[in-house]
Amino acid sequence: MFAIRFKEKVMSIVTITRGSYSRGKEVAERLAAKMGYQCISRDVLLEASEEFNIPEIKLVRALNDCPKVLERFWGGSERYVKYYRSALLDHARKDNLVYHGLAGHFFLRNIPHVLKIRINADINTRVKEEMNRENISAEQALYVLKKDDEERRKWGIQVYGMDPWDSRLYDMVINISMMTVDDAVDIIYALLQKPTFKTSPQSQQQVDELARAAKEQIEKLRSLGSTLF
């Protein structure tokens, strides 16, 4: 009976990774609306911050700062990563999810029904967006964007030994500079119709086990009385 009900539901998870001003947020929101899925990003940070009583800024720094900045308190930042991962996995258990934000392609690796998308945009387009938003020069905007990209790259290598710009981490890389947001949404939507990316009882069990293991890690930290700040 369970198998019949399960088969009738179109279930999957999408992670969208992007650089600043690459329109990934727009793609995620429109895709979620088209699929009838939940769309989350910063929500996970807020939930982790509230549940574990950790200032949000510490979570942001642990997940996004250059490793050199974190060296003096790396043990602490590693704990923050665990908290964020646990919050994201709680959402993943519910399925029907589009996630755009920090480290989704890392935290949900090797789960068959997770479609991992990387969205890239032309650097000139990104520079213009940064200039308009921050009211700065082209040179300043380019510096900020390159610094942000490099910090994210270093974080991925430091924590997971993988470069987030490596296309092998994703099922598809989209250059959105050559298309509209709706074009990108249509491409991803079509791919989600493939059986490969539909949730199965086995892949759902895999997510459940990862979520439980993440919770157990946190409970262990709590029982040890780890100092977080």
Side-chain angles (χ1 to χ4, degrees):
M1 190 67 178
F2 171 80
I4 293 174
R5 290 199 304 269
F6 192 95
K7 188 174 181 180
E8 290 173 348
K9 295 184 70 176
V10 179
M11 302 167 66
S12 55
I13 297 171
V14 182
T15 66
I16 294 180
T17 306
R18 82 285 186 205
S20 303
Y21 305 109
S22 297
R23 310 197 73 181
K25 181 175 183 290
E26 293 176 66
V27 173
E29 290 174 346
R30 293 193 198 180
L31 177 66
K34 186 168 185 173
M35 296 291 297
Y37 283 8
Q38 181 186 20
C39 183
I40 62 170
S41 179
R42 192 178 182 86
D43 319 57
V44 178
L45 269 178
L46 295 173
E47 288 173 11
S49 176
E50 291 173 3
E51 181 176 358
F52 304 112
N53 195 29
I54 302 170
E56 184 185 352
I57 187 61
K58 286 186 175 287
L59 281 170
V60 171
R61 286 174 177 167
L63 288 161
N64 202 37
D65 277 4
C66 173
K68 288 183 179 179
V69 177
L70 299 171
E71 283 176 357
R72 65 186 177 83
F73 59 97
W74 176 248
S77 70
E78 188 176 23
R79 295 188 186 102
Y80 302 150
V81 171
K82 287 183 171 64
Y83 300 142
Y84 189 92
R85 179 172 179 267
S86 178
L88 179 56
L89 283 167
D90 271 347
H91 280 283
R93 294 184 77 173
K94 302 168 188 174
D95 219 2
N96 291 0
L97 175 70
V98 177
Y99 171 77
H100 64 100
L102 302 166
H105 58 296
F106 287 134
F107 296 155
L108 300 176
R109 286 179 64 221
N110 303 319
I111 299 173
H113 65 271
V114 176
L115 173 58
K116 295 174 290 296
I117 301 291
R118 171 85 194 188
I119 295 182
N120 294 330
D122 178 83
I123 188 62
N124 293 327
T125 301
R126 297 175 64 199
V127 165
K128 289 177 182 177
E129 292 287 342
E130 177 79 4
M131 289 172 62
N132 291 335
R133 178 167 176 173
E134 302 298 332
N135 193 27
I136 57 179
S137 69
E139 292 76 14
Q140 290 173 313
L142 181 61
Y143 172 80
V144 169
L145 290 171
K146 285 186 173 181
K147 184 174 183 291
D148 182 57
D149 287 345
E150 186 60 20
E151 287 182 348
R152 294 187 187 195
R153 177 177 175 272
K154 287 180 179 179
W155 184 88
I157 293 172
Q158 178 78 25
V159 178
Y160 286 97
M162 295 179 291
D163 187 340
W165 288 89
D166 188 339
S167 62
R168 291 173 295 181
L169 291 173
Y170 310 99
D171 300 299
M172 178 182 287
V173 178
I174 296 175
N175 180 3
I176 203 166
S177 301
M178 306 302 294
M179 64 181 74
T180 67
V181 168
D182 286 335
D183 289 336
V185 169
D186 289 343
I187 290 170
I188 300 170
Y189 180 86
L191 194 54
L192 284 170
Q193 308 313 305
K194 302 294 184 182
T196 302
F197 298 110
K198 288 184 171 60
T199 308
S200 68
Q202 293 77 22
S203 63
Q204 180 64 49
Q205 181 179 358
Q206 187 177 346
V207 176
D208 291 341
E209 290 174 353
L210 286 172
R212 282 194 292 269
K215 286 289 187 186
E216 288 171 2
Q217 283 186 331
I218 290 172
E219 290 304 320
K220 184 176 180 180
L221 285 174
R222 284 175 164 173
S223 68
L224 292 173
S226 300
T227 302
L228 299 177
F229 310 111

